[in-house]
Amino acid sequence: LLDCDLIGFHCFSYARHFLRSCAEVLGLDVSPKGVDVGGKLVRVGIFPIGIDPAKWESRCMTDPVQSRLADLRTQFEGKKVIVGIDRLDPIKGIPHKMIAMETFLDRYPQWQGKVVLIQVCVPSRIEVEKYANVQDDVNQLVGRINSKFGKVDFNPIHCINRSIDTDELCALYTLADMLAVTSLRDGMNLISFEFVACQRE
């Protein structure tokens, strides 16, 4: 890496950790601008990525998205909708989100039956035991919470264990009253940007 002219990071903390490692492990001189390697400055920059908001806004207005949105509005009429979109990854904090939902419903029983969490869990490296364990934990929590607070015609948590297409995603973002991002550590999570772009109403 130190043979490069410029090294880019998604966020400040990653750049800071890199610079500190260069100073402490390699004994090099560092500054906020970069690393001095034998008289050559290897620059360090922070380059967060983004989305094209106009693309998301226009997609939300298409007939397939509007049709799906109408179906979802009928299905969840009278309910406050929280949406979560995450890779099924230990750092995404999905079990924490489920526990938070359970705690909320315990502490504020007046919201029972009036709020729903729609959680999309996109499979990620399921062949790795740690990742598979997250899916097991989430499934157990969803079962426990739905059996505790659910009714014959209502479940407080809807968990989708697969990828969804962009039209469905736009419809969910537009429907949602709130987006819950509970990552324990993340570098380039664009979900919140997409949600805001779809919240024209």
Side-chain angles (χ1 to χ4, degrees), residues 78-121:
K79 309 284 189 284
K80 292 294 182 184
V81 177
I82 302 168
V83 166
I85 314 285
D86 300 280
R87 277 184 298 107
L88 202 52
D89 186 312
I91 68 164
K92 294 298 184 175
I94 301 170
H96 300 76
K97 192 181 310 186
M98 302 296 167
I99 293 167
M101 182 71 169
E102 181 178 33
T103 302
F104 173 76
L105 293 172
D106 274 331
R107 287 188 186 169
Y108 302 97
Q110 67 270 27
W111 281 98
Q112 292 177 16
K114 297 178 182 174
V115 63
V116 63
L117 169 62
I118 302 171
Q119 176 63 53
V120 178
C121 297

Side-chain angles (χ1 to χ4, degrees), residues 87-92 122-133 135:
R87 277 184 298 107
L88 202 52
D89 186 312
I91 68 164
K92 294 298 184 175
V122 180
S124 172
R125 296 182 249 178
I126 296 301
E127 69 281 356
V128 177
E129 184 178 355
K130 187 191 280 189
Y131 288 75
N133 290 342
Q135 184 167 18

Side-chain angles (χ1 to χ4, degrees), residues 142-201:
V142 170
R144 182 179 84 202
I145 295 165
N146 282 344
S147 66
K148 185 175 178 181
F149 300 106
K151 300 174 183 169
V152 172
D153 59 345
F154 173 78
N155 279 319
I157 298 180
H158 294 255
C159 193
I160 302 166
N161 289 308
R162 60 177 170 76
S163 296
I164 60 173
D165 65 32
T166 306
D167 288 344
E168 181 83 0
L169 191 57
C170 287
L172 284 175
Y173 283 148
T174 304
L175 173 75
D177 296 290
M178 183 181 119
L179 174 75
V181 179
T182 54
S183 297
L184 307 177
R185 184 169 181 85
D186 233 342
M188 53 175 208
N189 194 326
L190 302 179
I191 300 295
S192 56
F193 298 154
E194 296 168 0
F195 171 72
V196 170
C198 294
Q199 288 286 305
R200 294 184 58 171
E201 295 177 20

